[in-house]
């Protein structure tokens, strides 16, 4: 927009003529001197254009800029709120990390369907599912017992096979900064290092019910409903110990051993005093 030589009236300096302007500054020649003002902010507040057509066009520009300014302010306010929320989450995270007390059953066993058997290992995470009823119906389940010391055991059962033949597919520690109480989306990500996938031949040798038992019904092997359940910390240690023995490749065995030692350290388990497996499959 060319405003050069356009006549204006200023509330203090009277009539004048525009001599220069750019996107941020406008210069006006008044009777006694030239004055510079912020453009276009000075219009509508202290300065009036005589040319109505140009004034209308300029008004539209000012309105557009004002809308952009308000949008930018809203964006900054939203960013400020987000930063504050993230800061509160960080403080809560640090508090939970610092005050964490080990739960004796803070491990998770997950039932992988056919699709999840692939995605769980390609993405190295599982989804805890959604709440089925109540005020929070439809929201993701919070795996509240899972913490830095927790591992997720991935299992599956072939179609038409009895529950006692449930196989262990793999296992991973949760991500090092994961806290189940703060998990909003229901996804449980794996640790960057401590993760193991078994081959089909290895999986056939690792039956879940060799380790797991329902103490109320020690001879029963039933899953019933749900995608996951929590189980004993020591049982997971037994599983990891057997995986170390199962691995024949030196590098894979070394990784499994490091995983086992890290797990025992995180769960305050003395690996020298670890009991032998005594799951429901061994009690038949």
């Amino acid at each position: 927009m060319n405003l050069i030589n356009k006549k204006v009236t200023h509330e203090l300096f009277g009539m004048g003529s525009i001599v220069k302007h750019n996107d941020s500054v406008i210069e006006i020649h008044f009777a006694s001197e030239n004055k510079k003002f912020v453009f276009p902010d000075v219009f509508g507040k202290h300065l009036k254009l005589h040319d109505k057509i140009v004034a209308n066009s300029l008004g539209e520009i000012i309105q557009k800029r004002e809308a952009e300014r308000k949008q930018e302010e809203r964006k900054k306010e939203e960013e400020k709120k987000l930063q504050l929320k993230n800061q509160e989450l960080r403080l809560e995270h640090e508090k939970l990390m610092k005050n964490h007390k080990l739960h004796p059953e803070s491990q998770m066993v997950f039932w992988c369907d056919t699709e999840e058997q692939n995605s769980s290992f390609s993405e190295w995470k599982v989804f805890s599912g959604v709440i089925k009823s109540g005020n929070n119906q439809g929201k993701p389940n919070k795996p509240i017992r899972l913490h830095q010391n927790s591992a997720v055991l991935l299992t599956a059962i072939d179609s038409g096979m009895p529950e006692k033949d449930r196989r262990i597919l793999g296992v991973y520690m949760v991500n090092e900064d994961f806290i189940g109480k703060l998990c909003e989306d229901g996804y449980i990500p794996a640790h960057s290092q401590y993760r193991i996938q078994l081959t089909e031949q290895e999986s056939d040798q690792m039956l879940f019910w060799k380790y797991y038992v329902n103490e109320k019904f020690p001879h029963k092997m039933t899953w019933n409903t749900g995608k996951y359940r929590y189980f004993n910390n020591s049982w997971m240690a037994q599983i990891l110990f057997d995986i170390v023995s199962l691995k024949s490749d030196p590098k894979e065995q070394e990784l499994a051993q490091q995983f086992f030692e890290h797990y025992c350290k995180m769960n305050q388990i003395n690996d020298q005093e670890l009991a032998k497996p005594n799951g429901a499959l061994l009690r038949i």
Side-chain angles (χ1 to χ4, degrees):
M1 179 180 289
N2 185 12
L3 298 177
I4 303 301
N5 295 325
K6 296 296 182 183
K7 301 300 180 182
V8 296
T9 298
H10 191 277
E11 62 180 11
L12 293 179
F13 305 110
M15 288 186 60
S17 179
I18 299 171
V19 292
K20 290 181 183 178
H21 78 88
N22 56 34
D23 287 341
S24 58
V25 177
I26 188 168
E27 185 175 346
I28 301 172
H29 173 71
F30 294 102
S32 58
E33 59 181 328
N34 285 10
K35 292 283 186 181
K36 291 182 179 181
F37 304 95
V38 176
F39 178 81
D41 298 14
V42 68
F43 288 97
K45 295 180 181 178
H46 311 289
L47 198 63
K48 182 179 180 181
L49 264 169
H50 292 188
D51 189 319
K52 290 185 178 180
I53 295 176
V54 176
N56 289 337
S57 298
L58 185 60
E60 292 176 1
I61 293 174
I62 293 173
Q63 288 179 358
K64 183 180 178 182
R65 287 203 178 185
E66 181 66 14
E68 290 173 349
R69 184 188 64 79
K70 289 182 177 179
Q71 185 177 2
E72 187 65 25
E73 285 181 354
R74 284 194 296 269
K75 184 179 177 181
K76 288 181 179 179
E77 187 65 26
E78 288 172 1
E79 288 176 352
K80 186 177 179 181
K81 288 179 180 178
L82 182 61
Q83 288 175 355
L84 184 61
K85 182 180 179 180
N86 288 337
Q87 184 179 8
E88 290 173 350
L89 287 174
R90 281 197 299 272
L91 291 173
E92 187 177 359
H93 187 278
E94 291 171 4
K95 183 180 178 181
L96 287 170
M97 282 288 193
K98 184 178 180 180
N99 300 327
H100 177 61
K101 294 181 180 179
L102 284 176
H103 190 286
E105 294 185 348
S106 54
Q107 313 309 314
M108 174 183 284
V109 54
F110 189 86
W111 182 349
C112 297
D113 59 29
T114 304
E115 183 179 342
E116 289 165 336
Q117 289 181 44
N118 296 320
S119 64
S120 296
F121 293 109
S122 62
E123 300 176 16
W124 281 106
K125 63 181 180 181
V126 294
F127 179 58
S128 61
V130 297
I131 299 170
K132 302 295 185 183
S133 60
N135 295 334
N136 294 320
Q137 183 177 357
K139 292 183 179 180
N141 279 305
K142 282 190 176 185
I144 58 174
R145 288 193 198 173
L146 298 192
H147 212 274
Q148 275 185 311
N149 65 297
S150 300
V152 176
L153 191 69
L154 303 171
T155 72
I157 184 168
D158 296 332
S159 178
M161 299 298 289
E163 177 60 35
K164 69 181 183 64
D165 290 334
R166 178 176 296 277
R167 298 178 296 117
I168 294 171
L169 306 177
V171 58
Y172 65 80
M173 293 293 292
V174 300
N175 195 17
E176 51 264 51
D177 61 355
F178 182 82
I179 295 178
K181 289 180 180 179
L182 302 181
C183 178
E184 297 292 341
D185 61 5
Y187 284 99
I188 307 166
H191 193 282
S192 58
Q193 179 181 353
Y194 301 116
R195 49 173 77 171
I196 294 174
Q197 180 178 4
L198 300 181
T199 65
E200 188 172 347
Q201 292 75 22
E202 291 169 341
S203 182
D204 286 339
Q205 300 178 59
M206 294 292 295
L207 297 179
F208 171 66
W209 290 95
K210 175 184 175 183
Y211 307 91
Y212 185 91
V213 64
N214 184 335
E215 299 293 356
K216 293 182 179 179
F217 307 100
H219 299 290
K220 285 188 176 182
M221 286 174 275
T222 54
W223 184 281
N224 296 328
T225 59
K227 290 295 293 181
Y228 70 87
R229 58 192 56 191
Y230 299 109
F231 70 103
N232 189 280
N233 298 349
S234 296
W235 298 347
M236 184 67 86
Q238 293 167 357
I239 291 168
L240 291 170
F241 180 81
D242 284 352
I243 289 176
V244 174
S245 304
L246 190 65
K247 290 292 183 181
S248 55
D249 181 85
K251 288 186 177 179
E252 291 184 2
Q253 189 176 63
E254 182 181 0
L255 173 61
Q257 180 65 34
Q258 291 173 354
F259 190 160
F260 172 67
E261 291 174 359
H262 174 77
Y263 175 85
C264 289
K265 180 181 178 182
M266 295 297 291
N267 286 278
Q268 301 175 13
I269 293 173
N270 186 340
D271 58 348
Q272 300 300 317
E273 299 177 358
L274 188 62
K276 298 292 183 182
N278 189 29
L281 198 60
L282 303 178
R283 304 187 187 193
I284 298 175

